[in-house]
Amino acid sequence: MNEHEPLRGIPGILRPFKEYIKSLTLKEGDLVVYYGCVGTCTPFVELLAVAIRGLHLRQVFVPLLDETKSHAIHDVPDIGMQASGEQMAVTEARVLVIMGGLAMPLMPVTKEQVRDLTIRHSGAKVVGVCFQDMFVRAGWTGTVPFDLAINAMIDPVTVTRPEK
């Protein structure tokens, strides 16, 4: 995985994700599982879910790596894709999406645990989505077998405040 394609903004994250998922020729009802941190990863998971909603796949969010706390992701009219309180079994996953928040310092998740997760779900494709080179900075790229890695940079961030 050495190809680097510079893109911009939210579409630069969502389009390659959707293109990759479409290239897998998944069947309607196949399972895509997102693993991430509660709160910080959830909005990005919901954006990724919006990008592929027309493919009619089942999608689920798993907080950290605890599949017993999974949340089905549904299309909510006039809102978008949302993680619900409905639990969905994580069996026969076709795609595992690992969010970069898991690799942040002080998170109770190791790269070895994520590698082992990919082994338990053998046959599933592994997609990594992170910001600010988090997977590289945390040393996950040599351990977690990403089939596709999307790294977005949020830089610069401009804050404007009215004068007081």
Side-chain angles (χ1 to χ4, degrees), residues 127-139:
V127 176
V129 179
C130 74
F131 294 89
Q132 306 300 114
D133 291 323
M134 187 50 63
F135 291 134
V136 171
R137 290 178 22 215

Side-chain angles (χ1 to χ4, degrees), residues 13-131:
I13 299 167
L14 302 184
R15 283 187 192 133
F17 178 71
K18 181 178 181 178
E19 289 168 5
Y20 179 73
I21 298 299
K22 283 177 76 172
S23 77
L24 299 176
T25 60
L26 301 173
K27 296 183 297 265
E28 186 171 325
D30 280 347
L31 184 61
V32 177
V33 184
Y34 303 86
Y35 297 86
C37 301
V38 173
T40 53
C41 292
T42 312
F44 297 104
V45 165
E46 291 171 346
L47 280 170
L48 292 164
V50 164
I52 62 170
R53 71 182 177 272
L55 302 178
H56 307 290
L57 304 168
R58 292 180 301 134
Q59 300 184 72
V60 64
F61 173 72
V62 172
L64 302 176
L65 303 180
D66 189 350
E67 293 174 352
T68 66
K69 296 182 179 177
S70 66
H71 296 273
I73 300 173
H74 296 286
D75 192 1
V76 178
D78 302 320
I79 294 177
M81 298 299 278
Q82 298 284 296
S84 71
E86 176 191 344
Q87 189 171 13
M88 182 185 290
V90 180
T91 59
E92 298 182 32
R94 295 294 311 278
V95 181
L96 309 178
V97 181
I98 310 301
M99 301 303 292
L102 296 175
M104 292 186 338
L106 306 179
M107 283 294 114
V109 175
T110 67
K111 61 186 176 183
E112 291 81 13
Q113 288 172 309
V114 174
R115 179 203 57 218
D116 293 348
L117 173 83
T118 66
I119 293 168
R120 277 197 323 275
H121 291 283
S122 68
K125 296 296 185 179
V126 181
V127 176
V129 179
C130 74
F131 294 89

